Amino acid sequence: MASEGEAATSLQVLRRLDTGPRGLTEAEAAARLADLGENAPALPHTASWPLRCARALRDPFTAVLLTLGLVSALVASWGTAVVILALVAVSCGLRAAGEHRADRSLAALRELVAGTATVLRRADADAEPRAREVPVTELVPGDVVRLGPGDLVPADVRLLRARGLTVHQAVLTGESAPVAKAAVDVPAVADATGAADVADTGPFQEPYLCFQGSGVASGSATAVVVETGERTRFAAAQGIAGGRREASAFDRSVHGISWVLIRFMLLTPPLVLMANAALRGRGLETLPFAVAVAVGLTPEMLPVIVTTCLARGAALLARAHQVVVRRLPALHDLGAVDVLCLDKTGTLTRDRPVVERALGPDGDDDPEVLRWAAVGAWWSLQLAELPAPDALDEALLMAAGPVGEEYDGVGAVPFAPERRTATAVVAGTLGTHVLVTKGAAEDVLDRCDLDPAERERLLALAAREAGAGLRVLGVATARRPSRARPYTAADEQGLTFRGLVTFRDALAPGAAEALRTLTGLGVTVRVLTGDHPSTAARACRDLGLTADRVAVAGDPLDLGADVVARCTPEDKARIVAGLRAAGHTVGFLGDGVNDIPALRAADVGIAPRTAVDLARETADVVLAEKDLGAIGHAVTTGRHSSANIASYLRVTLSSNLGNVIAMLCAGLLLPFLPMLPVQVLAQNLCFDAAQLAFAHDRPGPAALRRPTVLRPRAFLRFITGFGVLNAFADLATFGVLALALRGPDALDDQAVFHSAWFTENLLTQALVMFLLRGGTRPGPVGRAAAALAAVGLLLPPGPLGAALGMTGLPPAYHVLLAAVLGLYALALRAVRARHDRR
């Protein structure tokens, strides 16, 4: 919104917009709509299938696999090329299908809100204005609109007239209380009673401006539209959200592991070629073998395993908990989250207050104070022509029960922002009227007959309650002789102070239990809110959250604060970015326009289905309801998927690295290739097929109790240690067998050597799958490992083994192999136990 519109009077605004209180003509509105466009912010478009598949190729391993497949095709290694390219196609298809299902689920969860507004339009310049409903998208600057309770503010507007108007701005500012608005420039107040102060929210604090996305809580108004479409403050957040998003925790970890391995993979073929050319005189004829070795180092199934694990987890969440994962890697990020940042209003608390206590002037509990306050609320509702009670009046009526009807109502002086009080008048004893005034404690005390010392004492009492995070309402009464003349604000003088009513925010059902669950999962909860520090801290303490460190936005950045109050959208994003820079994996739960920068800054952005459209489109995960319990389920599911991915990576990378090292050494020591390319490919296919079981595994409980993070350095240490152990076991096996076997079955026979290597490799890989997986029960991985071992023993002597150039092995080989593998299993368990202790 233009700054001149914010500072100008209503008359100046009308002149600038070339309109008047009677509104625009239909012709003027149509011309402006054609010139300025519809009143709707642009939302992200759903990607097409080809684009989804093309984006999947940005995965490093997928890109390298595609390159290796093309190289295999160039050297006429068609079997290798077909298998590799098939893996690429399956990976891209699975990822695109998962994202497509998520978008369909999100569309099914969206609320269908009728977008209309009441606008004054004229048929021509001389006609009288007529109020009619038009689609919100057809509003233009200069239109005069009418607002009532329950309406959404359809555009950025400047109030022309207002009566008892309060609006909810939580989606824009995070304030929990409705904000009073007026057509004139008056000091800002927090709510209809002035019971609490308001966050410094910049232009949103101006009382004569209402913004698109706000909701009318009470009262009515006539306003002129000053900005529409992408020029509103509501849509401005799209500009904040439109920048390039930083890599998430999943992207950083997988890419870190990927690029280290890719360097090895790219170095392997030229090293194999140069070594064989120099030592054995074999040149380009070894290129298919070199490519096969590079493929052997590649975790070919990584894209498939990752996509399958995440897609299964996302499907389970959508089916069982109505949680939609829009970006599949976000499920891993959920499993890695160790800090969850969220707003207070609507998440930890419901967007309504409840009565905490009613205090007399002496500070002790006094139920009469609550009764009088409820009488005032009841007759204000009946006589002030309010369509519905505001939040505090509703809380009073719920707490006090059926009161007020025992009196006869006489009149009411509705709430006004400039005086922050409201008064109801009821019939008292014969010939008297009773005025019941309630509002901000300071303003009520100003209207009471008190000496200065007593007034200061009562103000201190109100300040003490407010400092405890409660909202405070002052209540006073006065008895007057009955009269027929209407009552006005001038009659609110010489009152008798009755006491204070305090309110706290109603806690969200299940929030306390959900927070305990998240804490038990090792997730630290940080509250970032636009509310008052004391109010936010009080809600946290009521829920059992730690609130020892409470900071105020604008102070030096305190990443250790449990609660940060007075947050602007930029403050939230800055705190989230600071936590990520400090090494945390951060989730952020938000639902308003003010939350969009933080949703994008987080590793994983979470929004409920009821969030504003732009926030929901920005989020990675969408909840059917704003339920912290669903986040706990999502975190657990993310850790389940991440643990399976981590197990797969540990097993396949350590096994592959060991096999490649052993194969390179054997290739330099033997007068022939240690394994034919087709045999390497067959071995990889068997191992890859067995590893699909990781997508269906159930990790041990220990993997779900703490955030799961794929740390590249830790993985490299793991796979290097176990890879070298695996290579040593391979070479030791053939050393023992070479010394033990003699005659026609000696290992210098190529077919026997190839068969022995094939069997030994699959058996060691089966052992690695079983022993390095983690967890206690064998599960799908144990069964797959047993099947892999059976293939290693049965395939070489069979007809398929003969087609691959292999042969049956003598019984003595299997006896010696069993002895060596037994020693290898013991060494593997010992090293794994030492690794776990460290």
Side-chain angles (χ1 to χ4, degrees), residues 205-528:
Q205 198 175 9
E206 298 296 347
Y208 50 84
L209 299 175
C210 292
F211 301 93
Q212 186 181 49
S214 304
V216 178
S218 63
S220 60
T222 301
V224 60
V225 174
V226 293
E227 295 290 4
T228 59
E230 297 187 23
R231 295 168 297 281
T232 64
R233 294 197 182 277
F234 183 92
Q238 187 174 358
I240 299 174
R244 185 177 178 83
R245 187 168 187 167
E246 292 185 17
S248 68
F250 177 82
D251 298 328
R252 294 193 304 270
S253 57
V254 170
H255 286 198
I257 296 170
S258 300
W259 285 113
V260 173
L261 292 172
I262 286 169
R263 293 185 183 99
F264 281 111
M265 290 160 49
L266 296 177
L267 285 173
T268 299
L271 285 176
V272 172
L273 290 174
M274 288 188 294
N276 277 275
L279 299 178
R280 299 295 177 187
R282 298 190 294 260
L284 288 178
E285 65 269 20
T286 61
L287 182 57
F289 174 73
V291 172
V293 171
V295 172
L297 183 60
T298 309
E300 302 102 322
M301 299 302 292
L302 179 62
V304 177
I305 295 290
V306 167
T307 306
T308 304
C309 285
L310 297 179
R312 291 186 73 247
L316 174 65
L317 279 176
R319 183 172 61 251
H321 304 291
Q322 292 186 294
V323 176
V324 178
V325 180
R326 300 188 64 240
R327 185 177 62 85
L328 282 182
L331 187 58
H332 166 269
D333 295 337
L334 274 172
V337 161
D338 60 340
V339 176
L340 176 65
C341 297
L342 43 81
D343 195 0
K344 175 185 71 69
T345 306
T347 304
L348 301 180
T349 62
R350 302 178 70 176
D351 197 11
R352 63 177 179 83
V354 294
V355 172
E356 176 74 4
R357 297 178 67 191
L359 305 175
D362 57 359
D364 294 332
D365 291 335
D366 186 350
E368 276 296 294
V369 179
L370 176 61
R371 188 181 73 83
W372 278 117
V375 168
W378 172 262
W379 284 110
S380 291
L381 176 63
Q382 302 300 316
L383 300 175
E385 299 180 5
L386 299 176
D390 70 16
L392 295 187
D393 282 350
E394 189 173 16
L396 288 170
L397 294 173
M398 290 184 64
V403 298
E405 296 183 25
E406 67 272 24
Y407 295 96
D408 292 327
V410 174
V413 183
F415 171 84
E418 60 271 15
R419 65 179 215 284
R420 302 198 299 175
T421 58
T423 296
V425 185
V426 298
T429 56
L430 186 62
T432 63
H433 289 166
V434 179
L435 280 68
V436 183
T437 299
K438 56 185 176 60
E442 181 179 357
D443 293 81
V444 170
L445 287 169
D446 284 343
R447 290 160 173 76
C448 292
D449 189 7
L450 297 168
D451 62 69
E454 179 66 4
R455 182 177 181 277
E456 289 302 319
R457 186 186 68 82
L458 293 171
L459 283 174
L461 175 63
R464 185 193 71 188
E465 296 299 315
L470 299 172
R471 298 162 69 184
V472 183
L473 185 76
V475 183
T477 63
R479 195 172 294 274
R480 301 277 194 268
S482 59
R483 74 186 196 199
R485 188 174 76 254
Y487 287 86
T488 67
D491 294 302
E492 296 175 337
Q493 298 296 330
L495 307 177
T496 300
F497 186 70
R498 289 286 183 173
L500 304 171
V501 180
T502 62
F503 303 81
R504 60 174 172 80
D505 289 332
L507 303 180
E513 181 181 355
L515 290 171
R516 285 193 296 271
T517 299
L518 288 170
T519 302
L521 291 171
V523 178
T524 301
V525 177
R526 303 282 173 82
V527 178
L528 312 180

Side-chain angles (χ1 to χ4, degrees), residues 6 24 32 48 54 67 71 83 189 283 308 340 423 519 535 663 712 722 757 772 827-828:
E6 294 173 2
L24 299 173
R32 296 187 186 192
S48 63
T67 303
V71 171
V83 172
V189 295
T308 304
L340 176 65
T423 296
T519 302
T535 305
M663 197 172 293
F722 285 94
W757 187 289
L772 293 190
L828 202 60

Side-chain angles (χ1 to χ4, degrees), residues 173-175 198-201 343 528-532 564-567 572:
T173 66
E175 301 164 86
V198 65
D200 180 9
T201 53
D343 195 0
L528 312 180
T529 179
D531 247 336
H532 189 280
V564 183
R566 306 296 204 200
C567 281
K572 293 181 180 181

